[in-house]
Amino acid sequence: DVKVTQSSRYLVKRTGEKVFLECVQDMDHENMFWYRQDPGLGLRLIYFSYDVKMKEKGDIPEGYSVSREKKERFSLILESASTNQTSMYLCASGSSGTGYQPQHFGDGTRLSIL
Amino acid sequence: GDSVTQMEGPVTLSEEAFLTINCTYTATGYPSLFWYVQYPGEGLQLLLKATKADDKGSNKGFEATYRKETTSFHLEKGSVQVSDSAVYFCALSERGGSEKLVFGKGTKLTVNP
């Protein structure tokens, strides 16, 4: 089975801190994604990556950056955390070029910024 | 841009009731359509998918048919169980399921015994 592992289930940080959320997948997928999930807003795409060292902005990239130095790992970085970044963060991965394959999700990191 | 609109709920049903969660979409091309489910405390799991018009996706007793003429992909189940309590998300992808997904806002389903 495909496994997408997010490094923390729960995280509490302070305003202004630099925060790293890590995601690792074990299926050699080319594509990786970071979403944010908020009540009433559903899932919104922050950043995605189609290849190592490649990144593209999603719908809400402001205040975030990403890093993909290895194929299996995709990191989300909050450069200077703010309270409005308190949310559930979901990582996903998927293969490309195979046609209509689903994305596979991690269990999420619930991040609180105090 | 592409968008997905689904019943926001919450939806509360008794066990063995019939379930429908409506989903309609707007897309410029010919998207693939998906239903994902999120059980409490977990990430999203693919429930079913359909990749072209008139396709029917099915899994675990759930079904949805890709209706191009009405741009809809409604989720149905004939007899729900308590274990079906979860949040259900409709989603589309313009370039197959591995590319970017556009999600609806989710529908929370609670099934009472």
Side-chain angles (χ1 to χ4, degrees):
Chain A
D1 272 357
V2 174
K3 192 155 181 66
V4 178
T5 303
Q6 294 184 230
S7 53
S8 304
R9 290 298 301 273
Y10 301 93
L11 207 53
V12 180
K13 296 291 183 181
R14 297 213 172 268
T15 303
E17 281 192 66
K18 191 169 186 176
V19 181
F20 294 84
L21 302 183
E22 308 286 347
C23 175
V24 177
Q25 50 98 359
D26 66 358
M27 282 302 293
D28 202 35
H29 284 159
E30 296 82 6
N31 303 332
M32 296 188 76
F33 307 83
W34 275 106
Y35 295 90
R36 172 176 171 160
Q37 182 179 10
D38 298 289
L41 297 177
L43 274 76
R44 293 177 292 168
L45 182 64
I46 304 172
Y47 267 97
F48 60 103
S49 170
Y50 287 155
D51 202 351
V52 174
K53 297 191 187 296
M54 179 276 178
K55 60 185 179 184
E56 287 195 29
K57 293 179 180 179
D59 300 318
I60 52 165
E62 297 76 21
Y64 302 95
S65 63
V66 290
S67 172
R68 193 164 181 203
E69 296 295 320
K70 294 185 177 181
K71 191 175 185 180
E72 68 271 18
R73 186 180 296 270
F74 192 37
S75 303
L76 179 70
I77 304 157
L78 285 66
E79 297 290 344
S80 177
S82 64
T83 55
N84 63 11
Q85 292 177 309
T86 292
S87 187
M88 170 72 87
Y89 291 87
L90 290 166
C91 175
S93 73
S95 54
S96 64
T98 59
Y100 317 122
Q101 296 304 310
Q103 290 183 19
H104 300 268
F105 284 80
D107 284 338
T109 296
R110 188 166 293 282
L111 175 64
S112 296
I113 307 296
L114 304 180
Chain B
D2 297 345
S3 66
V4 174
T5 303
Q6 64 178 102
M7 282 173 57
E8 291 193 18
V11 174
T12 302
L13 296 173
S14 298
E15 209 165 21
E16 300 184 3
F18 184 86
L19 169 71
T20 299
I21 301 177
N22 290 336
C23 172
T24 57
Y25 67 90
T26 302
T28 53
Y30 298 94
S32 296
L33 301 174
F34 304 84
W35 277 101
Y36 281 82
V37 60
Q38 184 179 36
Y39 297 104
E42 298 183 11
L44 276 69
Q45 303 173 24
L46 178 70
L47 181 59
L48 53 84
K49 67 179 183 183
T51 58
K52 61 183 187 297
D54 300 324
D55 265 4
K56 178 186 281 188
S58 61
N59 186 26
K60 300 181 181 180
F62 291 89
E63 292 183 340
T65 301
Y66 190 142
R67 301 285 187 201
K68 189 165 178 284
E69 63 277 12
T70 55
T71 62
S72 65
F73 192 55
H74 304 321
L75 182 68
E76 295 183 337
K77 186 174 186 182
S79 176
V80 294
Q81 305 301 312
V82 172
S83 57
D84 294 325
S85 298
V87 181
Y88 293 81
F89 291 92
C90 185
L92 70 80
S93 172
E94 278 282 15
R95 294 168 58 193
S98 303
E99 309 296 342
K100 289 189 294 181
L101 287 171
V102 176
F103 285 91
K105 293 183 179 180
T107 302
K108 183 175 182 180
L109 170 66
T110 300
V111 180
N112 295 317

